[in-house]
Every structure is written in C-alpha cells, then in structure tokens.
Amino acid sequence: MSDREPRIRRSALYLPASNERAIEKARTLPCDVVILDLEDAVAPEAKEAAREMAARAVADGGFGRRELVVRVNGLGTPWGEADLAAIGPAGADAILVPKIDDGATLRRYDALLAQAPAATRLWAMIETARSMFALQDIAAQAEATRLACFVMGTNDLAKELRASPDVGREGFVGFLSSTVAAARAHGLSAIDGVFNDIGDAEGLVRQCAQALALGFDGKTLIHPGQIDICNRAFTPGDDRIEAARAIVAAFDAPENAGAGALKVNGQMAERLHLEQARALLAMRAQIDEMG
C-alpha cells in the first residue's frame, strides 16, 4: 500500500506535540512534513495531554500543503495502544511508529490502525540493530499494509551500536544504503535521520549532500532553522534540470524514435536515464508549484 503518487519530502520537522505554540508555528513553516512527536520529545507526565493536543491539531488542520504525521509511543510502553486508538481515527496523513525490529512488529501496528481512514499511511522508524537484519522483511509488509515510508532513527541506532557518528557517518553508510535499497525494492519513501548540532550549518549541508547521494528523499530535522538548508539540498538544481531536459529532448526527437541509447552532451544516456530525467523534471515542477 505504498504511495502511488510520490510526494515531496525534503524536510520533515519533529515538533513536541505537547507544545501548542510550536504546533501553531508549524502551520507557517516551509517544511514539507510536520511530525508531531508523542515519543522522545514528550516527558512521561505530559504524554496524555500531548496525545489530546495532537489529536486536536490533526482535527483542526490548517497545515496546508504540509504532510502531517504523528509519531506515537511504542507498543511496549504504557502509552502506545492509547496513542494509536486516539490518533489513528483522527485523519493524519501518516502515523510514525518507533523501533520496528521485524515484519511481525509492523503488522501489529497496522492491525491496530484498522479504524483509521484509508488514506492514513504507516511510517516505520528504522533505528535498531535488529532492524538492520530484517529490512527486507519489514519493507515487504508494504504489499499488504499501510506502510509507505522508512524513517532513519540514527540517534537510537548509534546508541544500540555503541557508536559515535560524526558528520560523515562513515561507519553508518552501509546501514543507510541498505535501508534505502530495501525501501526502493518495495516502493517506499526513505527519509534520513536528524542532524543534532543545530549551530553547525556547514555540517548539515554536508550531511544533506551525503543523504541525497545515498538516495534518500529528504531528512528529518529538529529545528526550524534547518529547513531552508535541507530544502535547498534536496531540490534538483538548475544544472541537473538542464541535463534532464536535454535527455528528454534527445529521446523525443523524431530521428531517435525507438533508440535504446543516445549520446547526450558527451555522455551515454539509456532509456533508464530517460525515466530518471522525467521523474526529476516532475519533481522540480511540483516543487516550483509549491512556491
């Protein structure tokens, strides 16, 4: 049940669902996705109030083109099932569920969303050592569940691995790439994890470039000040757009009808590059329409 129409997910901003002012501000921010967080960003004593606030925010709407997602607490906590019961029927674009170790865990969440609107998708946090060995099993659940997106939880993964990722995340590249591959094999979107150093703009630029090179659709963020950098990084630049237009024009030329491969601006372009070029142009057009 993965997304049939790809959505723009360059920037996905986490906000504590317990902070009413932050939720109101989110309705004006240029991020593509707003994630109201009931899990890590909310203290235990505030969980129930945050759940009510998130449900009310979903019902009130006003987020415009932004995709609205709610991250719930895990089923192994005192709040998980109540979160799903309250948030599921509210009509969010997606429910983000934490610490998915395997396909069976994903199916449990999906079953508890039976009363949610058909359009509500299920997003899965990939953030445990066990999940690294079950990526195919988890992604395959897209065929029969609401699953539509993987979200990297790099902080939790680093904790489990007892690793300390730097900006370049050299020790994590294999895990990141495997997650993208599993997602793509089953038509899922894939969003990278957060960058913790809010004041390090250069570091964020580098990590966004790495995520783009690995194939991620966008990145999760922890501060509004990170949005513009992230949006720029995941928006196809003019040079890529011009190259894509050249490929499309070459294959559309009458004299090249039926050609399987062409030389375009000194480089070999095959039909697979034509498909990629058209997708890139469609993405840029969608971003331009968003303003």
Side-chain angles (χ1 to χ4, degrees):
M1 195 173 169
S2 57
D3 290 338
R4 302 303 179 211
E5 294 294 331
R7 295 190 64 162
I8 303 300
R9 292 168 176 152
R10 300 167 298 174
S11 51
L13 178 66
Y14 286 111
L15 293 169
S18 56
N19 188 329
E20 190 168 8
R21 288 184 62 188
I23 294 173
E24 186 60 33
K25 184 177 181 180
R27 293 181 168 96
T28 68
L29 294 173
C31 55
D32 296 327
V33 182
V34 172
I35 303 177
L36 302 182
D37 191 14
L38 297 175
E39 195 205 17
D40 290 343
V42 179
E45 62 272 16
K47 295 284 190 183
E48 294 185 6
R51 180 192 304 140
E52 295 176 4
M53 199 171 298
R56 185 165 63 250
V58 174
D60 290 345
F63 291 88
R65 64 164 184 83
R66 300 161 194 82
E67 204 166 0
L68 183 58
V69 180
V70 180
R71 180 165 71 169
V72 298
N73 290 281
L75 289 178
T77 72
W79 313 282
E81 288 199 30
D83 285 351
L84 291 168
I87 302 300
D93 290 302
I95 306 298
L96 177 57
V97 294
K99 297 178 177 59
I100 300 300
D101 285 336
D102 50 36
T105 305
L106 193 285
R107 291 194 298 274
R108 287 183 61 202
Y109 282 101
D110 187 74
L112 289 169
L113 289 174
Q115 302 305 313
T120 297
R121 296 291 190 255
L122 184 60
W123 290 15
M125 294 292 303
I126 303 299
E127 56 185 345
T128 69
R130 288 184 61 187
S131 70
M132 294 298 102
F133 297 95
L135 289 169
Q136 166 65 15
D137 178 34
I138 300 169
Q141 305 309 313
E143 309 304 321
T145 70
R146 298 169 182 264
L147 182 62
C149 183
F150 277 173
V151 179
M152 289 301 307
T154 43
N155 283 335
D156 279 277
L157 183 59
K159 178 183 176 182
E160 286 210 358
L161 297 178
R162 302 176 190 173
S164 300
D166 57 11
V167 173
R169 302 186 295 184
E170 287 83 359
F172 288 77
V173 169
F175 299 133
L176 298 170
S177 184
S178 295
T179 299
V180 172
R184 300 307 184 219
H186 294 277
L188 302 176
S189 184
I191 301 177
D192 191 19
V194 301
F195 184 72
N196 295 315
D197 191 343
I198 297 170
D200 185 4
E202 181 181 347
L204 177 59
V205 169
R206 288 174 55 195
Q207 204 165 95
C208 283
Q210 179 194 53
L212 178 65
L214 290 171
F216 284 100
D217 297 299
K219 193 166 180 63
T220 46
L221 308 173
I222 56 174
H223 192 275
Q226 298 176 319
I227 296 173
D228 287 342
I229 289 174
C230 194
N231 283 348
R232 285 196 299 271
F234 286 94
T235 297
D238 291 342
D239 54 343
R240 295 179 67 197
I241 293 302
E242 288 306 313
R245 286 174 177 157
I247 291 172
V248 172
F251 277 98
D252 284 349
E255 64 269 22
N256 295 326
L262 296 170
K263 188 176 181 180
V264 181
N265 293 334
Q267 297 192 21
M268 185 63 67
E270 301 177 356
R271 288 279 167 179
L272 66 92
H273 298 113
L274 174 62
E275 182 180 343
Q276 290 173 330
R278 285 175 172 160
L280 197 69
L281 293 173
M283 177 183 178
R284 177 61 179 269
Q286 189 175 347
I287 291 171
D288 289 345
E289 287 178 5
M290 287 158 47

